[in-house]
Amino acid sequence: MAEKLGIKVFSHPNNLGYGGNQKTCYWEALKLNPSVVVMLHPDYQYDATMMPYLVQPILGGKYDFMFGSRIATKKTALEGGMPKVKYYVNRIVCLLQNMLLG
């Protein structure tokens, strides 16, 4: 479908998993010497309308990178389709990390 839409497609001869896919995407994007690289999960659990707010501090020189949160948005992660088990495990891990790291 992406090729039919004229989108440049990169494929691996073997399945490298999610991490391998991310590495390829970042590698290929950085070859173009961009000002900013954005990676948005295609699972609709992130609110893409927040992208300008995440990119602006980078373009303004305030931060080198920004991370979005599928938890801290108007539309909740569960409404976006995040599995309940993954959501609750994520919340517990984040709570523990915040307690340990301040």
Side-chain angles (χ1 to χ4, degrees):
M1 177 63 79
E3 289 173 337
K4 288 180 183 178
L5 293 171
I7 298 171
K8 194 168 188 176
V9 175
F10 302 97
S11 58
H12 301 116
N14 300 316
N15 185 345
L16 301 180
Y18 179 68
N21 178 63
Q22 269 195 352
K23 287 178 189 178
T24 298
C25 290
Y26 287 131
W27 179 260
E28 294 297 332
L30 290 172
K31 285 181 184 178
L32 302 173
N33 196 29
S35 298
V36 175
V37 174
V38 174
M39 196 280 285
L40 178 65
H41 294 249
D43 58 8
Y44 302 110
Q45 293 178 21
Y46 289 88
D47 184 355
T49 64
M50 300 303 292
M51 206 60 60
Y53 304 104
L54 291 168
V55 171
Q56 190 55 47
I58 299 169
L59 293 173
K62 186 171 183 177
Y63 297 112
D64 292 327
F65 57 89
M66 298 283 290
F67 288 98
S69 171
R70 58 180 138 200
I71 306 298
T73 62
K74 292 178 188 173
K75 181 178 177 182
T76 68
L78 292 172
E79 289 172 355
M82 187 178 196
K84 287 182 181 182
V85 171
K86 187 174 181 180
Y87 175 82
Y88 290 113
V89 169
N90 181 284
R91 299 307 299 147
I92 291 167
V93 169
C94 288
L95 176 67
L96 292 173
Q97 287 176 330
N98 289 338
M99 289 170 39
L100 291 171
L101 301 173

